[in-house]
């Protein structure tokens, strides 16, 4: 979550991920590329092509199926929710110290990785709004992995986006973490999991949580990660709902009124959620007030979800810096959400992983059209 406070703007926030350079293999997942998706942006060196180059990446338009290596390996790239989020203080360097209970969830993107024999990386993405230059978190992650390990290996990487941008779900951070993990696997694990976690904080505050076992109490900018037990059953149904506009994380932090924060002790919240589960008194988020100030319809969305009377719902709250509202206790879609085509919605479940393995979807829900 993190973050300096540059000029306040609404945007589709952090480019929720991309493709990149160092990547790798390891545990596999069911095939991820949808046959119906044809137009993709590819970074590929090709004779006679018109392309632009950025930090060893050549970007051009192409069909993903033309370039996919036969040995490409699929990885699931998860996202996260913040079950509670307290802003502890504004630091002298302009960032904020947080205390938040993160949990990895199984709404995620699909990624493929293969070693490249060339000296450049091939990048393929299903979303042509995602930049493939050096601002891309996956590119940053793979450049970081190479720099830390001394590897010169380059890769072919494909990313199929399912997690929306500017959502407060850490989709781009999940892509970056998955890329670091995959690169390390493909190249024989030159780095330990502890090193991957430590390095990831250099390029983003939300990346580190994905190197936990899935449930983590995070402090500092979010890069200090302490594994905890999942506070609620992993099969607890959740519904994620997001309007068709994202929020800029730096803008939300800049708009934060420190005097308007919750007074709850985050360690008390951590103990309460273990015993009480998710409820509106525990699932507090100090970034809701500035987010709702920037996007009043987001407050209305939260209130409508809470007032819909959906059976089983125990809490409704915003994740991260927004703009996703999380409904815990049921993944039933209220009628007003079904009728609004502009709203993104998806079921989700909490997921964990074992050390030495990467995340897999829960398999407890199917993607809805």
């Amino acid at each position: 979550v993190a973050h300096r406070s540059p000029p306040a703007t609404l945007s589709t926030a952090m480019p929720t991920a991309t493709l990149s350079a160092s990547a790798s293999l390891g545990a596999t997942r069911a095939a991820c590329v949808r046959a119906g998706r044809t137009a993709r942006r590819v970074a590929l060196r090709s004779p006679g092509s018109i392309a632009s180059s950025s930090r060893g990446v050549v970007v051009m338009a192409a069909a993903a199926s033309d370039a996919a290596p036969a040995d490409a390996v699929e990885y699931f790239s998860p996202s996260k929710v913040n079950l509670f989020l307290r802003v502890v203080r504004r630091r002298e360097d302009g960032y904020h110290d947080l205390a938040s209970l993160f949990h990895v969830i199984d709404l995620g993107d699909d990624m493929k990785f293969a070693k490249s024999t060339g000296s450049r990386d091939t990048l393929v993405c299903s979303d042509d709004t995602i930049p493939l230059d050096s601002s891309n978190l996956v590119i940053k992650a793979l450049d970081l992995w190479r720099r830390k390990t001394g590897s010169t290996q380059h890769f072919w990487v494909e990313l199929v986006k399912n997690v929306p941008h500017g959502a407060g779900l850490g989709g781009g951070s999940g892509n970056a973490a998955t890329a670091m993990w995959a690169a390390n696997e493909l190249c024989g694990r030159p780095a330990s999991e502890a090193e991957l976690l430590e390095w990831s904080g250099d390029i983003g505050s939300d990346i580190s949580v994905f190197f936990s076992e899935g449930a983590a109490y995070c402090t500092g900018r979010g890069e200090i990660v302490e594994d905890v037990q999942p506070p609620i059953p992993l099969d607890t149904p959740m519904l994620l709902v997001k309007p068709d506009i994202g929020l800029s994380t730096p803008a939300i932090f800049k708009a934060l009124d420190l005097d308007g924060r919750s007074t709850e002790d985050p360690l008390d919240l951590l103990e309460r959620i273990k015993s009480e589960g998710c409820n509106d008194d525990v699932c507090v988020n100090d970034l809701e007030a500035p987010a709702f100030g920037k996007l009043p319809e987001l407050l209305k969305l939260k209130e409508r979800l809470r007032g819909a009377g959906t059976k089983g719902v125990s809490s409704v709250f915003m994740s991260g810096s927004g703009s996703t509202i999380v409904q815990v206790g049921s993944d039933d879609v209220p009628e007003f959400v079904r009728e609004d085509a502009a709203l993104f919605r998806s079921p989700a479940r909490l997921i964990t992983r074992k050390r030495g393995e990467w995340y897999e979807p829960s398999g407890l829900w199917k993607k809805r059209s």
Side-chain angles (χ1 to χ4, degrees), residues 96-135:
H96 294 77
D97 279 338
L98 311 176
S100 180
L101 178 56
F102 285 72
H103 210 300
V104 179
I105 60 171
D106 66 349
L107 172 65
D109 299 325
D110 299 306
M111 300 185 75
K112 280 187 175 183
F113 299 87
K115 281 186 174 182
S116 170
T117 57
S119 59
R120 293 180 183 266
D121 300 296
T122 301
L123 310 183
V124 185
C125 187
S126 65
D127 185 343
D128 62 9
T129 68
I130 290 177
L132 301 179
D133 59 16
S134 59
S135 68

Side-chain angles (χ1 to χ4, degrees), residues 261-281:
R261 295 170 298 162
S262 168
T263 58
E264 295 284 349
D265 185 323
L267 290 174
D268 288 344
L269 292 175
L270 187 62
E271 291 305 313
R272 287 180 61 191
I273 200 170
K274 292 176 184 177
S275 58
E276 301 175 24
C278 289
N279 61 59
D280 288 340
D281 292 332

